[in-house]
Amino acid sequence: MSSLAAESLTVKRERATLIDGVSLSLGPSGSVAVIGPNGAGKSTLLRTLAGVDTPTSGCVRLDGQDLAGLASAERAQSIGFLPQTFEPHWDLSVADLLELGAARATALPADAVAKAKRTFELLGLEARRWSTLSGGERARVLLATVLVVDPPVLIADEPSAALDIRHRLETIRTLAARGSERLSVVVVHDLDLAFRFFERVVLLVAGKVVADAPAHDLIHDPCLDEAFGVRFERLKLDGRWLLRADS
Amino acid sequence: MRVWLGLVLALLLGLAVAACAGALWASPADIWRALSGDPSMASRLLVEWRLPRVLAAALVGALLGLGGTIYQGVFRNPLAEPYLLGSAGGAAVGATVALLVPLALPQSLLLPVLAFAGAWGATMLVLGIARVAGAVDAAGLLLAGVAVAAILGALRSFLMLALSDETVSLQVVMSWVLGGIQTPSWRGIALLAAIALGCLGLSLLFARRLDLLGLGETMATAFGLDTRRVVAEAVLAGSVIVAAAVAFGGLVAFVGLAAPHIARWLVGPLHKPLLPASALVGAIVVTLADAIARAALPPAEIPLGLVTAIAGGPFFILLLARRLRT
């Protein structure tokens, strides 16, 4: 179990401020959805939290230790990062990718790779090359590659955006479920999925955290309407609140 | 396992064919007689001239295969070649100086040293340019490399024109620029073999990091790789290997491009098997190309670089076309 904290995180690129003084305290367990309109800085925030990008000022702390001062191998073992898009330059096989993912860990249980294959239904797919996989298979392979070392922190940048509804539901459910024992921070585009599966929702607008609250509270907050520039109708269906957007 | 056995058998077969091939063809029985210590002139010529040359060709090919694999791994581009980064061009300038400028040291020492200095200098120049331009990614390096290679090519031509007079023949430089395996002594072969083994070891140190680099900048970083540092270090290792190949074999085009490709079809893209497989494929290709260079137009010898360019050019175009189509 690990906790992750952002302290006055600011990221500037070419004079544009992408992340503007964000402070967040995350974990050690829980599922957190990050939502916000296009260009809010969600991807940048997640990449910085994962240590893939370095902040212009402020810092990210993993269990109190500044990521910038942490050995990159240690960071790679503790924080799993699922990028928005993934296209390997070589046509690796499923087994190759799992091997590269597993190599991050200094010590791994002997059955870790086999377990990842079972969990993500990759048995029989080991020899298949990346270029021959379907979108759903690719998503499962990527999840397995990142999660084979079972990192205490998972940071996922909307990996399900290109998937059909069934695979999308499966992926989001898997990511959110990790929050029961570990920390799972996920950019989610579909607001209903965010409010339905995640405990906590962080609303990001123009690089700033506008709201950070339990999902069942935030769904009623009028700041949602303002952030997305629409009028939401809150509908109650089978005891669950749903959002319907109107311009 | 079957692939490795096949590669080794193909190399042995290639070596045997190359040992027979030449302006004067020898039969396998002649080779056997020569190897078992026959004192005749024909046998001694085979042992002292042809066999070292054949082995040198194989070893230079192995170096080209290794160098090409590292460069493709660094640039994450199957069309990358040592020649694109200016390192071969730099080595060529160094070697041209060694061949044309009368310096106090023996040429056999000067040529590899200056070739390495040239390759390393050119590579550092390319890295420096890319860094100043703020683009130390694959595309930035590749473009800087193309520009530096062009400048170095012009510099080499200028040196050839300016430094040649009646006492030094341009023929020597030309035959070297066009690529040609030097015939070393058996001690030279031992040295070259040691260098090739050392280069294999050096490149294998990068195997896992090149694999990670192939996942793309983001995933590589997320998996704990310092991509900038790995790129810089791997380019340096690549230029050591290219300099060694260039010092012993001149400028041999396209082997560094083709060998990793063929090897990738055979053993897949992970670098731990890919590097030795590329070395074997490179060795087979250059052994056969050198045999053709020696035997195709007797008694003349075609420069090796021309043979590989004529065979490798269409290969490159084919790859490019396939890549553009997909």
Side-chain angles (χ1 to χ4, degrees):
Chain A
M1 301 250 275
S2 290
S3 62
L4 200 65
E7 294 177 4
S8 341
L9 211 59
T10 297
V11 179
K12 292 184 184 178
R13 297 273 184 271
E14 319 252 331
R15 282 194 219 129
T17 304
L18 304 180
I19 297 296
D20 193 359
V22 166
S23 292
L24 278 173
S25 179
L26 304 162
S29 69
S31 59
V32 183
V34 177
I35 61 170
N38 289 339
K42 303 184 292 293
S43 291
T44 310
L45 177 63
L46 257 67
R47 290 172 63 90
T48 315
L49 283 176
V52 173
D53 285 351
T54 44
T56 315
S57 65
C59 71
V60 178
R61 291 187 189 277
L62 178 71
D63 291 328
Q65 214 184 344
D66 190 347
L67 273 193
L70 199 68
S72 51
E74 203 175 319
R75 164 177 54 78
Q77 221 182 127
S78 303
I79 305 180
F81 179 67
L82 218 56
Q84 194 169 23
T85 54
F86 175 64
E87 195 56 56
H89 293 277
W90 308 114
D91 203 6
L92 295 158
S93 70
V94 172
D96 294 343
L97 283 164
L98 284 174
E99 189 194 321
L100 288 178
R104 277 179 297 160
T106 38
L108 205 60
D111 64 338
V113 173
K115 207 174 138 199
K117 279 186 211 163
R118 270 200 313 276
T119 310
F120 297 100
E121 298 167 37
L122 300 176
L123 291 164
L125 239 59
E126 292 93 337
R128 289 270 297 279
R129 303 223 161 257
W130 180 259
S131 64
T132 69
L133 299 174
S134 71
E137 288 166 340
R138 285 182 182 192
R140 296 207 309 271
V141 170
L142 188 55
L143 269 170
T145 303
V146 172
L147 295 180
V148 63
V149 299
D150 197 13
V153 179
L154 172 68
I155 292 187
D157 187 0
E158 223 197 340
S160 57
L163 299 180
D164 61 38
I165 184 64
R166 183 169 71 88
H167 290 109
R168 193 171 192 184
L169 209 58
E170 256 169 40
T171 307
I172 290 287
R173 198 178 261 152
T174 310
L175 295 173
R178 276 187 77 80
S180 61
E181 283 174 21
R182 291 157 189 286
L183 175 60
S184 180
V185 184
V186 186
V187 164
V188 187
H189 251 190
D190 187 317
L191 297 181
D192 283 322
L193 292 181
F195 285 110
R196 179 171 156 199
F197 290 114
F198 289 80
E199 300 160 8
R200 176 177 164 192
V201 176
V202 173
L203 172 61
L204 202 68
V205 179
K208 288 192 169 115
V209 173
V210 171
D212 176 1
H216 52 83
D217 291 340
L218 190 62
I219 195 163
H220 300 291
D221 197 319
C223 72
L224 270 185
D225 305 56
E226 198 186 329
F228 286 93
V230 292
R231 203 169 52 76
F232 284 118
E233 225 176 309
R234 274 93 175 156
L235 307 169
K236 196 163 190 183
L237 196 69
D238 295 336
R240 214 168 49 214
W241 288 99
L242 292 173
L243 294 170
R244 190 168 76 183
D246 233 325
S247 55
Chain B
M1 209 57 237
R2 286 227 313 266
V3 171
W4 294 101
L5 204 64
L7 277 172
V8 170
L9 280 178
L11 177 60
L12 291 177
L13 194 68
L15 288 171
V17 170
C20 295
L24 287 172
W25 281 76
S27 70
D30 296 337
I31 306 286
W32 181 252
R33 207 175 312 123
L35 279 174
S36 45
D38 174 45
S40 77
M41 189 59 161
S43 288
R44 275 177 46 206
L45 278 177
L46 280 178
V47 169
E48 277 163 36
W49 288 95
R50 192 176 290 173
L51 295 181
R53 163 90 180 245
V54 169
L55 289 176
L59 290 166
V60 165
L63 287 170
L64 289 170
L66 288 176
T69 309
I70 289 191
Y71 277 75
Q72 293 189 2
V74 167
F75 292 116
R76 288 153 268 169
N77 187 336
L79 298 180
E81 233 219 334
Y83 297 84
L84 282 178
L85 204 78
S87 66
V93 170
T96 307
V97 171
L99 291 170
L100 290 181
V101 182
L103 293 167
L105 292 162
Q107 220 172 62
S108 58
L109 182 72
L110 216 49
L111 194 122
V113 170
L114 287 186
F116 168 70
W120 188 74
T123 311
M124 292 315 280
L125 186 65
V126 169
L127 273 172
I129 292 172
R131 205 162 277 156
V132 168
V136 195
D137 56 357
L141 278 170
L142 212 57
L143 288 174
V146 169
V148 167
I151 295 169
L152 289 171
L155 184 64
R156 193 195 65 222
S157 301
F158 175 76
L159 282 176
M160 285 169 67
L161 290 174
L163 293 177
S164 63
D165 52 37
E166 308 82 59
T167 57
V168 276
S169 161
L170 274 184
Q171 188 77 39
V172 184
V173 188
M174 272 319 281
S175 75
W176 187 86
V177 163
L178 293 175
I181 304 293
Q182 315 295 315
T183 303
S185 62
W186 281 99
R187 260 185 65 191
I189 282 290
L191 175 69
L192 181 52
I195 290 174
L197 268 180
C199 288
L200 177 63
L202 176 69
S203 59
L204 281 172
L205 291 179
F206 286 92
R208 181 42 44 95
R209 285 177 285 172
L210 290 175
D211 287 337
L212 289 175
L213 213 51
L215 298 178
E217 210 95 12
T218 297
M219 274 305 257
T221 311
F223 278 8
L225 195 73
D226 183 344
T227 55
R228 275 176 172 231
R229 205 175 120 193
V230 169
V231 166
E233 286 178 7
V235 163
L236 208 62
S239 45
V240 169
I241 294 170
V242 168
V246 162
F248 284 92
L251 295 183
V252 181
F254 290 118
V255 177
L257 175 89
H261 262 282
I262 298 169
R264 221 173 271 120
W265 290 332
L266 296 173
V267 301
L270 285 186
H271 283 82
K272 205 169 142 199
L274 181 63
L275 283 159
S278 292
L280 282 171
V281 172
I284 295 165
V285 168
V286 175
T287 302
L288 292 177
D290 185 58
I292 294 171
R294 285 183 289 111
L297 286 178
E301 191 176 298
I302 311 170
L304 173 62
L306 295 191
V307 177
T308 60
I310 287 169
F315 186 80
F316 182 84
I317 293 167
L318 204 76
L319 288 176
L320 192 65
R322 257 183 48 180
R323 218 175 142 72
L324 290 177
R325 241 205 323 265
T326 50

